[in-house]
Amino acid sequence: MRLNRILLSTALVVVALVLQVSVFARLHLPGAVPDLLLLVVVALALVYGHTGGALVGFGAGLLADLAPPADHATGRYALVLCVVGYLVGLARPETGRLRSATVPMLVVLGAAVVSTLLYAGVGALVGDTAARHVGLTGLLLTAALYDLLLAPFTVPLIMALARRGENDPLTGEGSAAVAGADGSYGRVSGMSLRGRGKGLGGQRGGLLSRGTTRSAWRKGGKRL
């Protein structure tokens, strides 16, 4: 990943995790908790693609696994968000821009369902039966509902920030454009210099011919 992607992703993940732990986790809502970290991964994966989405998801999930008050096995949420980020990145259009707001909402809905199922499934493998006591159906419904309500206020903004970072003139694309401009400028300058050189050469030729004529006239005068 490029430096601007790493910096932006890190900042967004840290802010989302702080809000997740300090605000959303303390709301005591029925069922699941609004997953702001998941929405960040979804938004960045829709811009960066499946590889960038998987890397961002793994880093965000690992940070959530290590941040207190995490009460689950380390790496569990990293695996979930890594898979979600990869799958969401596959839905990224070739142009990198979505034509309607329906696609992101459907992607958020699918990501909420898949992440809840994966988290519960991995928990069942390591002996965590919390999902059975709460009710998997209730978790799925509330997770999808909370994330869909939160998505319009977060996903478009994060995607806009990511696209702005992609169009930064300090990135590779901007450098290529500048290089192309420099190349064309160099060609124009070279042509101008060549044209000036010809003009200078013509002027020099004219001066030389004039000088030769004068010297010949002087010599002729001497002969005369």
Side-chain angles (χ1 to χ4, degrees):
M1 293 181 67
R2 290 178 292 183
L3 181 61
N4 62 327
R5 289 187 177 186
I6 296 174
L7 294 177
L8 179 62
S9 302
T10 303
L12 292 174
V13 166
V14 170
V15 172
L17 183 60
V18 171
L19 293 176
Q20 185 80 29
V21 174
S22 60
V23 178
F24 294 110
R26 298 184 179 182
L27 294 178
H28 301 291
L29 296 173
V33 177
D35 199 342
L36 183 59
L37 205 59
L38 174 67
L39 298 179
V40 171
V41 173
V42 168
L44 293 179
L46 287 174
V47 179
Y48 296 157
H50 59 278
T51 303
L55 293 174
V56 172
F58 179 80
L62 185 61
L63 190 61
D65 289 332
L66 299 176
D71 56 352
H72 54 268
T74 303
R76 180 178 174 183
Y77 203 46
L79 175 62
V80 171
L81 289 186
C82 180
V83 174
V84 170
Y86 180 83
L87 294 177
V88 171
L90 295 176
R92 175 183 177 269
E94 295 181 358
T95 59
R97 294 187 177 274
L98 301 172
R99 297 181 179 180
S100 65
T102 306
V103 176
M105 298 301 290
L106 292 176
V107 171
V108 168
L109 177 61
V113 173
V114 171
S115 63
T116 304
L117 290 175
L118 281 177
Y119 190 81
V122 175
L125 293 176
V126 298
D128 185 1
T129 60
R132 296 180 182 178
H133 300 293
V134 177
L136 184 58
T137 304
L139 286 176
L140 288 173
L141 293 177
T142 53
L145 177 62
Y146 297 153
D147 292 342
L148 285 175
L149 291 176
L150 191 60
F153 304 100
T154 56
V155 173
L157 177 61
I158 296 172
M159 292 180 66
L161 290 174
R163 288 197 188 103
R164 184 176 181 181
E166 291 292 284
N167 295 327
D168 193 339
L170 295 179
T171 61
E173 297 176 358
S175 301
V178 173
D182 291 341
S184 61
Y185 177 77
R187 288 193 293 271
V188 174
S189 300
M191 294 174 63
S192 301
L193 289 176
R194 292 191 192 101
R196 291 178 182 178
K198 292 180 180 178
L200 290 175
Q203 292 178 2
R204 290 176 183 175
L207 291 175
L208 288 175
S209 60
R210 291 175 185 176
T212 305
T213 305
R214 289 178 182 177
S215 60
W217 179 79
R218 289 173 184 173
K219 289 180 180 179
K222 289 181 181 178
R223 290 189 187 126
L224 292 172

